[in-house]
Amino acid sequence: MTKQTGGKRWGRKATGESAQVRDGRPRRSRRNTFREDEDLEEQINFSDIKRIGVYLKPYLKQGAVILAAVLSMSAIAVAIPYLTKTMIDTVIPSKDPVKLFTLGGVFLVAIVVYELLLRYRTVAITRVGQLMLKDMRRDLFTHIQTLPFSYFDSRPHGKILIRVVNYVNTLSDTLSSGLINVIADIFTFLLTLIVMFLIDWRLTLWSLVLMPLLVVYVLFLQHFQRRAYQRLSNKQSNLNAYIHESIAGVKTTQTFVREREQFQTFQEQQGQVRKYWMKAVHIQYLMWPGVQNISTITIALIYYLGITGMGGVQVTTGMLIAFVGYANNFWNPIINIGNFYNQLITCSAYLERIFETLDVRPEIEDKPGAVELPPIKGRVDFNDVVFKYEPDGRNILNLVDFHVPAGSTVALVGPTGAGKTTIVNLLSRFYDVSEGSVCVDGYDVRDVTLSSLRRQMGVMLQDTFIFTGNVRENIRYGRLDATDEEIVEAAKAVHAHEFIMELPQGYDTKVEERGSTLSAGQRQLIAFSRVLLADPRILILDEATSSIDTRTEEALQAGLAHLLKGRTSFVIAHRLSTIEHSDQIFYIDHGQIIEHGTHEELLAKKGAYYRLHESQYAMIKTANGEEG
């Protein structure tokens, strides 16, 4: 039944420390708390920015229409100064009212069309941007559902939550307006430059004299700005993680009267957010004044050259006014492009976190060629199983070997940390073995699809989870097509029906998040009903009755007797009274099965199980004596 010899010290990693190689550089999410900052990349990863294109692709047709409208606006913006030049230099001196009213009408139509296009652009770009954000948030949420338990164990849940909500929201302006508008700004810039050269090439070259200064200024700022927003994203993540932890532990905080200490830690965390927010803002707002000052100096230079004629520049009044308008058209796109680059630098810090999450590969997934597990009978075989969490870590299970016939009930007992839960986690394939194999009806669990394996298993954990909704919906979660009659039948089988009917609206009673309005025992009974409703062939009960009082537990055992019959069941329990009638009892210690047999056989051996049984029996007698 068991083997207890040592095993080789190698295995597959099964933690959340997944490294992803991106552009030849490994990206690793290390374990951290709300007091620790996450790792930062030194340089902008432009592959992150390119990946936004994946979310733009489904909306290319809409984007093309929006771009056409935006380019039309740019063309109107370029035409207006030329029309102004024509009005001042030609139409007004000619004193021709027909030309004057005609050109005025052209002005009016151009402005109306421009405003209509502006409204369309604003609404359409916002719609496409929000659809892109929806797709990105969908991908994040869907991907997170596939990640292993170890991913969530290795980092605060608040740091995961902020990526799905806050960081995606931060991209809103960039995706809503930046991508298409920057194309239009580049078009406007080039078109304006061409017209300026056609009007006066000398004055145009003078207009570009400060351009190198602008390029140097922008490149100088971008490094500091990105680092500032990376640090800010870390502090926001830490604060979010702390708030999430504090809300989850508020009952403990109030029980030990630690509100003041919690508040002080909160103040420290939000103080860090404010500090780095202000640093980021100070750097960000150096961009706009710098570009604006260079623009103003350039326009002043144009006026000076136009008035003095220095450098061979000879212009009319209308040409000078038009040229100043073109200078604005020339510098406004540059300012907009600078602002977009500004946004891009800011967003790169958040994109880094978003795509880092999307790049974490599920450690447990269907291998190529995995087959559907057919309806099973429930035979389970552990064949010389060795398991370790880290490749160079210690063995959690060491050559565990046992074979359970279909329909048998097996109890796993032993001290905390002995490996009991690990055994059932390997059976459900929440982790993969390091050596050996786990088979169900002769199928290696690694060779079948996860969905077909887990559909035929029912797992009841000690830490039960109740979703927001009513009692009926929580039980139906085990099988979504179950009828109300089947739900009631499952609840009756585990003796949950009695307390459910005493609730204000019975099965329609609303329960709050995590079932906070129910007792621990009530939550477990509802979760038990949910598992049994799924009608699994293999049933796993991991300390499933730990929060149920003795009287309820006795009734529960009686109700479960016929349901366990014909199923393969693995029961982990510290109360030995709940597993006395098991077909086999495995006593596990230090990752090995050191004793196995029926309750009577193990008592007769007077080994580890016998000592555990006697210890519990003595405690019960002492408690009964004190109560008497």
Side-chain angles (χ1 to χ4, degrees):
M1 179 71 75
T2 63
K3 296 181 181 180
Q4 300 173 14
T5 57
K8 296 177 182 178
R9 306 292 295 178
W10 62 269
R12 174 175 175 176
K13 187 174 186 180
T15 72
E17 302 296 294
S18 301
Q20 301 81 41
V21 177
R22 306 187 58 195
D23 302 331
R25 296 172 294 168
R27 173 180 286 188
R28 181 176 293 275
S29 298
R30 64 181 176 86
R31 297 175 186 270
N32 60 82
T33 69
F34 70 83
R35 297 186 184 278
E36 297 170 322
D37 293 340
E38 298 175 282
D39 296 331
L40 303 173
E41 289 193 358
E42 293 297 325
Q43 302 296 330
I44 296 176
N45 193 332
F46 284 100
S47 65
D48 286 343
I49 296 172
K50 291 178 183 177
R51 287 172 68 175
I52 296 178
V54 174
Y55 295 96
L56 180 60
K57 189 175 180 180
Y59 309 104
L60 284 179
K61 289 184 179 180
Q62 299 175 52
V65 176
I66 297 170
L67 183 59
V70 173
L71 293 181
S72 299
M73 292 173 61
S74 299
I76 293 173
V78 172
I80 292 295
Y82 189 82
L83 293 176
T84 303
K85 171 186 174 301
T86 303
M87 178 72 78
I88 294 174
D89 288 346
T90 304
V91 175
I92 293 178
S94 70
K95 298 181 181 180
D96 186 337
V98 175
K99 290 182 179 179
L100 184 63
F101 282 109
T102 301
L103 194 56
V106 172
F107 261 108
L108 179 61
V109 171
I111 292 172
V112 170
V113 171
Y114 185 91
E115 292 300 325
L116 291 174
L117 290 173
L118 177 62
R119 183 184 184 282
Y120 168 76
R121 183 200 70 176
T122 303
V123 175
I125 287 180
T126 301
R127 182 186 299 112
V128 170
Q130 289 303 310
L131 287 172
M132 292 170 64
L133 291 181
K134 178 180 71 69
D135 293 344
M136 184 178 291
R137 199 177 286 116
R138 174 206 63 206
D139 287 353
L140 265 173
F141 181 80
T142 303
H143 183 67
I144 286 172
Q145 299 293 303
T146 70
L147 297 181
F149 295 165
S150 53
Y151 177 82
F152 304 97
D153 294 339
S154 65
R155 54 188 48 75
H157 293 179
K159 290 193 176 186
I160 302 172
L161 178 65
I162 197 173
R163 299 180 187 206
V164 181
V165 182
N166 299 49
Y167 289 176
V168 173
N169 288 343
T170 303
L171 303 177
S172 178
D173 289 340
T174 304
L175 297 183
S176 295
S177 56
L179 290 174
I180 293 179
N181 283 351
V182 76
I183 297 175
D185 287 325
I186 293 172
F187 174 78
T188 301
F189 171 78
L190 294 176
L191 187 60
T192 300
L193 200 59
I194 291 171
V195 175
M196 288 172 70
F197 268 109
L198 291 175
I199 293 176
D200 193 303
W201 64 270
R202 294 184 184 86
L203 199 53
T204 302
L205 290 178
W206 278 107
S207 300
L208 296 175
V209 73
L210 296 179
M211 180 64 73
L213 176 62
L214 175 66
V215 173
V216 172
Y217 183 74
V218 170
L219 292 177
F220 175 76
L221 280 184
Q222 67 91 13
H223 172 74
F224 296 99
Q225 183 183 344
R226 181 171 185 276
R227 296 294 294 178
Y229 273 96
Q230 280 185 318
R231 294 189 180 100
L232 174 60
S233 75
N234 272 340
K235 301 308 176 184
Q236 290 173 327
S237 180
N238 292 347
L239 176 61
N240 204 67
Y242 181 71
I243 292 173
H244 183 275
E245 179 181 296
S246 298
I247 293 173
V250 68
K251 291 182 180 179
T252 303
T253 298
Q254 294 180 5
T255 299
F256 288 93
V257 197
R258 292 292 182 266
E259 292 89 347
R260 183 181 296 275
E261 288 76 9
Q262 292 291 99
F263 176 74
Q264 289 173 349
T265 304
F266 172 76
Q267 287 290 77
E268 292 171 6
Q269 294 299 319
Q270 78 157 346
Q272 288 291 303
V273 172
R274 179 185 177 279
K275 173 184 174 182
Y276 283 93
W277 179 278
M278 293 308 300
K279 285 185 176 181
V281 167
H282 280 309
I283 295 174
Q284 178 182 358
Y285 282 96
L286 287 174
M287 175 73 75
W288 182 83
V291 176
Q292 191 66 42
N293 286 337
I294 293 173
S295 171
T296 302
I297 293 171
T298 300
I299 291 174
L301 180 62
I302 291 173
Y303 275 121
Y304 178 78
L305 293 171
I307 293 172
T308 63
M310 191 180 80
V313 174
Q314 298 295 326
V315 294
T316 64
T317 301
M319 186 182 296
L320 181 60
I321 293 174
F323 221 94
V324 170
Y326 280 124
N328 284 324
N329 277 352
F330 173 78
W331 281 101
N332 283 338
I334 292 179
I335 292 173
N336 292 337
I337 293 169
N339 287 337
F340 175 74
Y341 186 71
N342 210 20
Q343 288 180 342
L344 213 55
I345 298 302
T346 301
C347 289
S348 68
Y350 299 109
L351 283 171
E352 177 184 340
R353 291 285 176 254
I354 291 170
F355 288 126
E356 176 189 81
T357 302
L358 286 172
D359 287 339
V360 176
R361 300 314 325 155
E363 293 163 0
I364 306 299
E365 54 187 346
D366 294 340
K367 75 175 188 179
V371 299
E372 287 284 315
L373 180 65
I376 62 175
K377 294 181 179 179
R379 175 179 171 80
V380 173
D381 298 288
F382 271 57
N383 302 307
D384 292 335
V385 168
V386 175
F387 175 74
K388 60 185 75 175
Y389 287 104
E390 302 286 350
D392 56 350
R394 69 179 182 89
N395 286 356
I396 305 301
L397 297 181
N398 192 20
L399 286 175
V400 172
D401 191 284
F402 62 81
H403 309 278
V404 179
S408 299
T409 298
V410 175
L412 307 178
V413 300
T416 301
K420 304 183 297 295
T421 299
T422 302
I423 288 176
V424 296
N425 281 340
L426 291 175
L427 177 58
S428 303
R429 208 186 162 211
F430 291 126
Y431 301 102
D432 273 340
V433 299
S434 303
E435 296 180 47
S437 64
V438 177
C439 297
V440 175
D441 279 11
Y443 290 86
D444 190 317
V445 295
R446 293 169 294 187
D447 295 333
V448 300
T449 62
L450 284 171
S451 59
S452 66
L453 172 68
R454 293 176 182 169
R455 261 199 314 266
Q456 302 188 65
M457 290 188 179
V459 181
M460 174 70 182
L461 302 175
Q462 180 178 5
D463 182 21
T464 57
F465 193 93
I466 301 298
F467 295 93
T468 301
N470 60 41
V471 173
R472 189 189 314 278
E473 291 167 345
N474 269 279
I475 298 176
R476 184 175 275 127
Y477 197 83
R479 183 160 58 88
L480 299 180
D481 61 350
T483 64
D484 290 348
E485 291 74 17
E486 289 172 324
I487 291 172
V488 172
E489 183 180 346
K492 286 180 176 179
V494 297
H495 290 258
H497 179 74
E498 291 80 0
F499 91 81
I500 292 175
M501 294 308 296
E502 293 175 358
L503 296 174
Q505 284 84 41
Y507 284 86
D508 295 316
T509 300
K510 297 291 183 181
V511 290
E512 303 301 326
E513 184 180 8
R514 299 187 66 88
S516 59
T517 54
L518 301 172
S519 71
Q522 290 173 334
R523 290 197 297 271
Q524 283 194 310
L525 287 172
I526 289 175
F528 218 175
S529 305
R530 180 166 61 200
V531 171
L532 293 176
L533 184 65
D535 192 25
R537 302 313 307 157
I538 296 177
L539 190 61
I540 296 173
L541 309 179
D542 187 353
E543 293 293 342
T545 60
S546 61
S547 298
I548 299 176
D549 60 80
T550 304
R551 180 178 177 182
T552 303
E553 185 177 347
E554 292 173 355
L556 178 62
Q557 293 299 325
L560 286 177
H562 72 283
L563 290 170
L564 293 177
K565 192 172 183 179
R567 304 177 196 273
T568 304
S569 303
F570 287 81
V571 182
I572 300 176
H574 285 300
R575 293 181 188 174
L576 300 186
S577 59
T578 64
I579 49 98
E580 290 180 353
H581 301 293
S582 300
D583 298 312
Q584 283 283 308
I585 299 174
F586 295 163
Y587 189 97
I588 302 171
D589 197 6
H590 293 94
Q592 298 175 333
I593 301 176
I594 63 174
E595 288 183 353
H596 64 90
T598 64
H599 174 69
E600 291 76 14
E601 289 171 346
L602 292 178
L603 288 180
K605 289 182 180 180
K606 294 195 174 181
Y609 180 81
Y610 172 82
R611 291 190 294 273
L612 179 62
H613 181 272
E614 290 299 300
S615 174
Q616 285 197 11
Y617 185 65
M619 291 175 61
I620 293 172
K621 285 201 303 184
T622 300
N624 289 339
E626 291 175 352
E627 289 175 0

